Amino acid sequence: MDDAARRLAEARAWRDRDLAVLWHPCTQMKEHPDTLPLVPIRRGRGAWLEGVDGRRYLDAVSSWWTNLFGHGEPRIAAAIAAQAGELEHVIFAGFSHEPGLKLAEALLAAAPRQPDRPPLARVFYADNGSAAIEVALKMSFHAHRNAGDTRRSRFIALTNGYHGETIGALSLADIPLYRRVYAPLLLEPLFAPSPDAYEAEPGESAEACAHRRADELAAIFAAHPGEISALVVEPLVQCAGGMRMHHPAYLRRARELCDAHGVHLIADEIAVGFGRTGTLFACEQAGIAPDFLCLSKGLTGGFLPMSAVLTTAAVYEAFLDDSRERAFLHSHSYTGNPLGCAAALASLGIFAEDDVLAGNARRAARMAELAAPLRDHPNVAEVRQTGMILAIELVADRPTRAPFAASRRAGLRAYRHAIERGVVLRPLGDILYWMPPYCVGEEELQHLADVTTTAIAAACAD
Ligand SMILES: *Cc1c(COP(=O)(O)O)cnc(C)c1O
């Protein structure tokens, strides 16, 4: 057997063993391996994944939006290795360590600020994005309660939003595919209409749409005086909801409404944080600071599961008391894991060292140029972009924006076409998107655009 044949045989054997014992996330397992290929990966370098079968795959989705600077980024790998040699983990209740402390200081220094508003001043760690949302919800509710306000037990979330999969976080989601089955188990938030500019009325600007939706949000606040604990938003881009984008004016109005009604603003920057939208945090583009900032995914540069919830001194102080009941007793075993903190510190260091945001501005401009020809495609309703996130909305009929029949599985067709050509696109329904690692270069972007173009043709062909 030659080398290539041996690799293919190895990949096939691996696939069989995998499908005998594993259960993969967000997957109808019955579709493996016939409808959906399963791709065993041996290593990752830069923007590329290397398959056990010897083939290379461009990771255009940053491995579910986690990876920032490319796979195997040596500075992060070295920081984790060094930390593992010193202290791999220690209980974080009653104990502290250098990476945990330094990371908190660094995150607070980098957090979005708003003039005339006290800055975010406290960091609470957890171990994934959903857990960060649970922390923020519980803290918000409990802070009001500790302040003697026991009626504030409801949350406002946006339609088409997504905040994770645990029961509390899923409660805030408005994506039927994820939510519907579990609906009997979930909290019932108030849903405010998303300011999504794709849903703007004919001739309405994104900004006008944002203001119209903010007026509707104001009506919800007015109808529920004293009942609402917090408003939860994904600033600028609703990622899981199809990379739908809105004008920052909405966030400014939301901030004002929260202040006027004594409601907390929870910014879920789990996906959009760490440079995806062009600024380090999306809130910066609206000039606002939230009461809670939830971070995960890119926090460790994509190396380790970790999350952080940043909040204000006012929230923190509401918990200080002689009673344990007034304390925030929430914990996760791996809270403040030193390896995760070391990775996150190294990742923040790279932003400064490599002037990453400036490089991304150039990359984002190039992405826009490369995607421009797709705007005229008869099955493309919209090409939209915020920073390093670019989305292409496929439809059956461009003038009416009528979607393809679900049975066509246009997104899946595009996925299969791309993976066969060495590109990982993982469409959200029929919405293709590019969210590449920040090391992506000219040739890689060109390749991505070429394969996306032919993938769209394959998805839309009869
Ligand atoms: C991914 C995501 C989450 C959940 O994070 P997990 O680590 O997957 O639990 C929450 N909010 C947003 C906006 C996300 O994109």
Side-chain angles (χ1 to χ4, degrees):
M1 234 190 324
D2 68 3
D3 238 27
R6 188 167 320 114
R7 287 212 201 91
L8 278 178
E10 194 186 334
R12 210 170 304 120
W14 183 321
R15 224 168 263 141
D16 292 345
R17 282 172 58 195
D18 180 300
L19 294 176
V21 296
L22 280 168
W23 192 340
H24 291 272
C26 202
T27 301
Q28 170 50 270
M29 290 299 291
K30 193 162 183 283
E31 295 186 345
H32 276 315
D34 298 330
T35 312
L36 200 62
L38 179 74
V39 188
I41 296 298
R42 193 194 302 283
R43 73 206 283 273
R45 283 295 177 274
W48 295 88
L49 299 165
E50 297 174 20
V52 170
D53 60 6
R55 301 182 55 197
R56 279 159 38 94
Y57 303 91
L58 182 63
D59 189 356
V61 300
S62 294
S63 283
W64 254 348
W65 325 337
T66 59
N67 189 283
L68 293 189
F69 313 109
H71 294 277
E73 160 53 53
R75 287 166 287 184
I76 300 178
I80 294 170
Q83 184 58 42
E86 292 298 322
L87 175 68
E88 76 301 326
H89 188 64
V90 62
I91 174 174
F92 210 55
F95 295 82
S96 184
H97 49 72
E98 185 178 333
L101 169 60
K102 280 184 157 173
L103 178 60
E105 290 171 346
L107 288 173
L108 293 174
R113 280 168 193 273
Q114 186 173 348
D116 306 325
R117 177 170 213 95
L120 294 167
R122 291 278 161 181
V123 178
F124 189 95
Y125 293 123
D127 45 20
N128 63 72
S130 304
I133 296 294
E134 303 288 341
V135 165
L137 298 181
K138 287 174 69 180
M139 266 186 189
S140 168
F141 168 79
H142 200 165
H144 287 304
R145 201 176 177 84
N146 281 348
D149 197 344
T150 54
R151 281 185 62 234
R152 292 189 182 271
S153 59
R154 299 203 72 179
F155 297 97
I156 303 180
L158 300 189
T159 56
N160 195 45
Y162 177 82
H163 301 283
E165 298 293 343
T166 53
I167 299 289
L170 187 61
S171 296
L172 305 173
D174 176 47
I175 299 177
L177 182 62
Y178 302 143
R179 183 194 171 92
R180 202 164 30 211
V181 179
Y182 303 103
L185 306 180
L186 303 179
L187 303 172
E188 288 193 12
L190 297 158
F191 283 110
S194 169
D196 178 2
Y198 185 78
E199 301 283 351
E201 284 170 359
E204 190 183 40
S205 71
E207 185 168 8
C209 175
H211 281 290
R212 177 166 57 85
R213 293 312 197 183
D215 292 341
E216 291 169 312
L217 177 63
I220 295 175
F221 273 98
H224 297 273
E227 294 172 32
I228 296 160
S229 184
L231 165 69
V232 190
V233 297
E234 295 164 85
L236 298 188
V237 188
Q238 294 186 305
C239 292
M243 303 296 166
R244 293 293 183 85
M245 300 172 185
H246 58 259
H247 192 279
Y250 184 81
L251 301 171
R252 282 191 287 278
R253 293 278 307 276
R255 177 70 273 182
E256 286 162 16
L257 285 166
C258 285
D259 286 341
H261 290 87
V263 168
H264 294 134
L265 177 62
I266 301 176
D268 177 352
E269 294 221 19
I270 290 165
V272 296
F274 299 105
R276 294 286 181 202
T277 65
T279 42
L280 190 62
F281 298 110
C283 283
E284 293 169 39
Q285 295 184 41
I288 61 151
D291 300 284
F292 296 89
L293 179 66
C294 296
L295 304 173
S296 188
K297 291 203 167 103
L299 173 60
T300 61
F303 273 67
L304 286 165
M306 172 156 192
S307 59
V309 179
L310 277 57
T311 191
T312 59
V315 167
Y316 173 75
E317 281 158 16
F319 290 81
L320 298 181
D321 192 74
D322 294 329
S323 139
R324 293 240 317 152
E325 276 223 351
R326 289 173 68 103
F328 192 61
L329 299 182
H330 187 105
S331 68
H332 295 287
S333 309
Y334 279 95
T335 297
N337 176 252
L339 302 177
C341 293
L345 274 169
S347 175
L348 282 174
I350 291 171
F351 274 100
E353 215 173 297
D354 294 358
D355 202 3
V356 168
L357 296 179
N360 280 357
R362 290 190 292 274
R363 285 184 192 94
R366 189 65 189 126
M367 283 160 60
E369 281 169 15
L370 286 166
L374 294 171
R375 288 179 193 278
D376 301 325
H377 191 285
N379 295 106
V380 171
E382 182 176 71
V383 176
R384 54 180 172 266
Q385 183 179 13
T386 301
M388 290 294 287
I389 306 174
L390 185 145
I392 303 155
E393 184 111 12
L394 298 185
V395 291
D397 181 57
R398 183 184 164 102
T400 61
R401 292 183 163 185
F404 279 118
S407 58
R408 164 178 283 268
R409 305 200 72 179
L412 179 67
R413 286 197 204 187
Y415 174 82
R416 290 180 53 142
H417 175 96
I419 201 93
E420 280 161 23
R421 283 151 190 83
V423 173
V424 184
L425 291 176
R426 199 173 189 282
L428 297 154
D430 295 343
I431 298 161
L432 310 190
Y433 67 91
W434 299 345
M435 207 200 275
Y438 306 159
C439 64
V440 73
E442 168 61 23
E443 266 177 51
E444 292 157 340
L445 284 175
Q446 186 72 60
H447 179 54
L448 176 56
D450 291 347
V451 171
T452 302
T453 304
T454 54
I456 290 172
C460 301
D462 291 328

